[in-house]
Amino acid sequence: METPYLISGKNLMTTPYPEGLWIVDGIFRIGRKRLSLITGEPGSGKSTLSHQLAVAVAKGIPFLARETVKSDVLIWQTEEEPADLQVSLKRLGYDHERDGEITAFNGSPSENTLLHLHQALDARPNVRLVLIETLDALLKMEDSNSNTAARVAFDKFDEQVGQHFNLRTCFVGLCYENKKKSANKWTAASGATTISGRADGSISVEVVSQFDDRRVLSTRTRHGRSIPPTYLNFEPSTGISTLGQRVEEEKKANAEKSKEHIEEQILTYFANHPDTSYNDDCAAAITGRDKNKDKVFARLLRSGRLVKIGKGVKGSKGVYRLSESIPVESLSEVAA
């Protein structure tokens, strides 16, 4: 008895499934039922980045240092005024006569439906990228925090739109990011975990803190090449963001600077206070994390830049001084 909803092992292994075409290499691809996401808190730059993505694909130029496939783009947005979108596309250098066609939704809220999206794609067979802003506004989930409601909404999207166009179109939805920070960007999208769980790939954009206005971007993909947390360099005159220093690299650089500062303090201290102790005197007088102070102090002893005077036994505390090879005068100038 045949069961049409099952596939045999033979058919699974011999069916010539089309390879997913990367519309943005290693990040967003065509040929998969799953939507992809751009997530971030309000004001983090999701829209600006999505406009850059749209123009990059329309031109066929790299986006975030990744190659793109030139094609038409549909911006299914309900938050931007056409005039504001025009300003953004002009700033990004979009040329409607030479580049791929960019079409934008300009209907009423009642026309922001899956049916109208289906009709728009039917009429535009060359669209390879659809940007949906926002995903929640289109899917109209009854409860965005409910996994059941999210599954129903995603199944409806697949039934009415996805399965008809996913072999030629990549769908990228913009949605808000969870206020609760998480290292796992698969759960970055605000609301039900199903929203992130159903994503084929995602870009997360976040502001570092209320005291640091820099943006950090990271990506996650199921089969692509992820971008680790990386600072974005934004050029206001063009509206273009490029990848800057990786967050981990900055942390390492800052840690090294901190150790260099501690080293300078230790050497300066013993230049001005020879034959004093480390724990009771020097460590208490300089700034920095105790763990780092101890590591730097031990390194200075191993390298011979500090020498120990006294055995450090009970009743005879170990004290230290600079090696004679270090010019005391220069360290005194630093201290001054």
Side-chain angles (χ1 to χ4, degrees):
M1 176 172 154
E2 293 188 3
T3 47
Y5 51 85
L6 296 178
I7 184 170
S8 69
K10 178 181 178 180
N11 287 339
L12 177 64
M13 301 309 295
T14 58
T15 299
Y17 294 109
E19 291 186 16
L21 172 67
W22 292 101
I23 194 76
V24 179
D25 186 39
I27 301 178
F28 296 137
R29 59 180 174 168
I30 294 168
R32 294 296 182 269
K33 289 184 178 181
R34 296 176 183 271
L35 294 110
S36 291
L37 302 174
I38 297 178
T39 67
E41 294 179 355
S44 62
K46 298 185 303 298
S47 296
T48 302
L49 194 68
S50 71
H51 295 165
Q52 180 182 339
L53 169 59
V55 172
V57 170
K59 288 179 172 293
I61 61 175
F63 171 73
L64 299 177
R66 299 292 180 87
E67 295 299 317
T68 65
V69 175
K70 183 175 181 179
S71 67
D72 293 351
V73 179
L74 175 59
I75 302 178
W76 195 265
Q77 57 85 34
T78 56
E79 295 192 348
E80 292 279 353
E81 294 289 337
D84 294 329
L85 181 58
Q86 181 193 78
V87 169
S88 180
L89 296 184
K90 278 185 176 180
R91 184 175 61 168
L92 287 160
Y94 174 60
D95 186 336
H96 66 278
E97 293 183 347
R98 296 184 179 181
D99 302 334
E101 183 180 43
I102 294 180
T103 306
F105 175 78
N106 191 32
S108 65
S110 63
E111 292 170 311
N112 182 24
T113 66
L114 296 174
L115 174 61
H116 285 90
L117 175 57
H118 184 123
Q119 292 173 346
L121 289 171
D122 250 345
R124 291 165 180 79
N126 294 322
V127 168
R128 297 290 178 268
L129 174 66
V130 177
L131 296 169
I132 304 168
E133 186 177 8
T134 61
L135 188 61
D136 182 55
L138 174 65
L139 297 185
K140 297 178 176 62
M141 284 177 272
E142 291 186 6
D143 181 0
S144 61
N145 292 310
S146 164
N147 280 315
T148 299
R151 278 192 291 270
V152 169
F154 273 78
D155 288 344
K156 187 176 180 182
F157 174 87
D158 183 55
E159 179 184 347
Q160 297 189 23
V161 177
Q163 66 178 336
H164 302 282
F165 303 103
N166 68 71
L167 292 181
R168 69 166 172 90
T169 306
C170 173
F171 296 92
V172 179
L174 278 66
C175 57
Y176 294 122
E177 190 161 290
N178 257 315
K179 292 181 180 178
K180 197 183 227 181
K181 300 295 181 187
S182 170
N184 180 6
K185 291 305 175 184
W186 282 118
T187 60
S190 180
T193 55
T194 294
I195 298 174
S196 292
R198 292 282 286 261
D200 186 59
S202 68
I203 291 178
S204 167
V205 186
E206 59 181 318
V207 180
V208 175
S209 73
Q210 59 178 324
F211 307 108
D212 187 342
D213 196 44
R214 292 178 299 168
R215 269 59 172 175
V216 172
L217 176 142
S218 59
T219 73
R220 290 291 301 271
T221 61
R222 293 180 180 275
H223 299 283
R225 296 181 295 115
S226 296
I227 299 173
T230 303
Y231 291 107
L232 285 178
N233 296 325
F234 178 67
E235 176 49 59
S237 63
T238 62
I240 293 175
S241 292
T242 55
L243 297 177
Q245 186 180 38
R246 291 185 179 182
V247 173
E248 189 61 31
E249 290 174 349
E250 184 187 67
K251 286 181 179 179
K252 289 180 179 178
N254 288 341
E256 191 56 39
K257 285 181 181 178
S258 175
K259 289 178 181 178
E260 289 174 0
H261 180 58
I262 290 172
E263 180 178 290
E264 181 181 280
Q265 290 183 86
I266 293 175
L267 293 174
T268 302
Y269 181 86
F270 284 110
N272 294 310
H273 306 86
D275 300 343
T276 54
S277 71
Y278 167 68
N279 287 320
D280 294 340
D281 299 313
C282 176
I286 66 174
T287 61
R289 296 175 59 189
D290 289 341
K291 186 177 180 180
N292 286 339
K293 292 180 191 178
D294 294 345
K295 285 183 178 180
V296 173
F297 175 71
R299 186 173 66 190
L300 289 171
L301 280 177
R302 287 195 304 270
S303 67
R305 300 179 74 187
L306 283 179
V307 293
K308 185 176 182 181
I309 308 299
K311 296 181 179 180
V313 296
K314 187 174 181 181
S316 177
K317 183 166 46 176
V319 295
Y320 305 86
R321 66 170 60 173
L322 295 183
S323 166
E324 293 180 0
S325 63
I326 298 180
V328 175
E329 293 79 8
S330 63
L331 290 168
S332 298
E333 290 172 6
V334 172

